[in-house]
Amino acid sequence: MIGRLNHVAIAVPDLEAASKTYRDVLGATVRAPQDEPDHGVTVVFVELDNTKIELLHPLGENSPIAGFLEKNKSGGIHHICYEVDDILAARDKLVSEGARILGSGEPKIGAHGKPVLFLHPKDFDGTLVELEQV
Ligand code: CO
């Protein structure tokens, strides 16, 4: 069901410092910061040949990653995103297998303008999984 790895998202306490590390130390292509008010994050996309890294920083109050950074002060991997062809079919299959979908269970439009869903980390070995329909 799952296809390519779309991105790995890393929550970072300092977006500018993290961007500089990826650009200057690791030599990656790093895009400008992008505010995503609907998701409570500012995102920096790091483009790699085979996938993307998303550097996430809290935006506004009630950011979904504020608590994560509270617990992981130096930052850390927040979620991984797999591509699927049909997000509703993927959701229905996962629910029938007993997996839990976070939130309302309905897809939201993600940072790339495509429908996304998040799966409960307890059902996937402690990893928050995002599915994106491509
Ligand atoms: Co994501």
Side-chain angles (χ1 to χ4, degrees), residues 19 21-31 46-48 53:
S19 300
T21 299
Y22 271 85
R23 187 175 48 240
D24 299 346
V25 180
L26 294 172
T29 300
V30 176
R31 301 293 174 200
V46 178
E47 293 183 3
L48 307 182
I53 305 296

Side-chain angles (χ1 to χ4, degrees), residues 1-45:
M1 176 174 62
I2 59 171
R4 291 159 53 97
L5 175 67
N6 185 274
H7 60 270
V8 175
I10 303 176
V12 302
D14 183 336
L15 205 48
E16 212 176 294
S19 300
K20 197 167 150 43
T21 299
Y22 271 85
R23 187 175 48 240
D24 299 346
V25 180
L26 294 172
T29 300
V30 176
R31 301 293 174 200
Q34 199 174 305
D35 288 344
E36 301 285 345
D38 288 352
H39 296 275
V41 291
T42 301
V43 189
V44 167
F45 294 108

Side-chain angles (χ1 to χ4, degrees), residues 4-94:
R4 291 159 53 97
L5 175 67
N6 185 274
H7 60 270
V8 175
I10 303 176
V12 302
D14 183 336
L15 205 48
E16 212 176 294
S19 300
K20 197 167 150 43
T21 299
Y22 271 85
R23 187 175 48 240
D24 299 346
V25 180
L26 294 172
T29 300
V30 176
R31 301 293 174 200
Q34 199 174 305
D35 288 344
E36 301 285 345
D38 288 352
H39 296 275
V41 291
T42 301
V43 189
V44 167
F45 294 108
V46 178
E47 293 183 3
L48 307 182
D49 281 349
N50 60 345
T51 191
K52 291 183 284 289
I53 305 296
E54 291 184 9
L55 305 175
L56 303 178
H57 190 73
L59 175 67
E61 283 164 39
N62 307 318
S63 169
I65 61 164
F68 181 90
L69 279 173
E70 197 62 42
K71 282 182 231 137
N72 304 274
K73 298 213 184 293
S74 51
I77 294 179
H78 183 262
H79 65 267
I80 57 177
C81 176
Y82 301 122
E83 297 180 354
V84 294
D85 290 332
D86 181 336
I87 202 161
L88 295 177
R91 176 197 62 188
D92 294 348
K93 161 83 172 148
L94 285 158

